[in-house]
Amino acid sequence: QVYLRESGGGSVEPGGSLSLACGASGYIGPKFCMGWWRQSPGKERELIATLDNSGSTTYSPSVKGRFTISWANVSNTLRLQMNSLKPEDTGIYYCQTSRFDMSCQAGDRFWGQGIQVTVSS
């Protein structure tokens, strides 16, 4: 079992920045993916950033160049730095990990409870 808990959400004006954190506990294993998903109002949940056990990262076109995913080994924390935020970034953000998979879309998958991010003037 892997336990994930997000923190750091909130409200920000367009153009602002927020940093999300996801504390992880439990056994993840040597082959894994960690990712951030976003569910915006009226839309399906979207995979926006991933980081795998090799250190490789991927980003959806909607956030590439503005968001940065990173992992802190010392604290077992997954982070998402979000800059130049837009109203369309509004949604619930979920932290997720997949064991035995490097795509975040297969394997044993575990989710955080989600955290709200609102971008509005």
Side-chain angles (χ1 to χ4, degrees), residues 51-94:
L51 183 151
D52 67 29
N53 54 277
S54 74
S56 295
T57 59
T58 68
Y59 298 92
S60 70
S62 63
V63 306
K64 192 171 186 178
R66 300 186 297 122
F67 291 12
T68 303
I69 188 172
S70 61
W71 170 254
N73 273 321
V74 173
S75 58
N76 283 351
T77 301
L78 182 71
R79 298 192 181 277
L80 185 69
Q81 178 64 38
M82 305 185 293
N83 298 328
S84 302
L85 283 161
K86 305 175 182 180
E88 52 263 45
D89 293 318
T90 294
I92 301 174
Y93 284 69
Y94 297 88

Side-chain angles (χ1 to χ4, degrees), residues 4 24 28 32-36 49-51 69 71 78 96-97 104:
L4 304 170
I28 296 176
F32 63 87
C33 177
M34 301 205 73
W36 288 97
T50 70
L51 183 151
I69 188 172
W71 170 254
L78 182 71
Q96 179 247 330
T97 186
C104 282

Side-chain angles (χ1 to χ4, degrees), residues 4-6 92-95 111-116:
L4 304 170
R5 187 170 184 87
E6 302 94 340
I92 301 174
Y93 284 69
Y94 297 88
C95 172
W111 296 86
Q113 81 285 357
I115 195 163
Q116 178 70 42

Side-chain angles (χ1 to χ4, degrees), residues 2-17:
V2 178
Y3 299 92
L4 304 170
R5 187 170 184 87
E6 302 94 340
S7 61
S11 296
V12 65
E13 293 187 349
S17 297

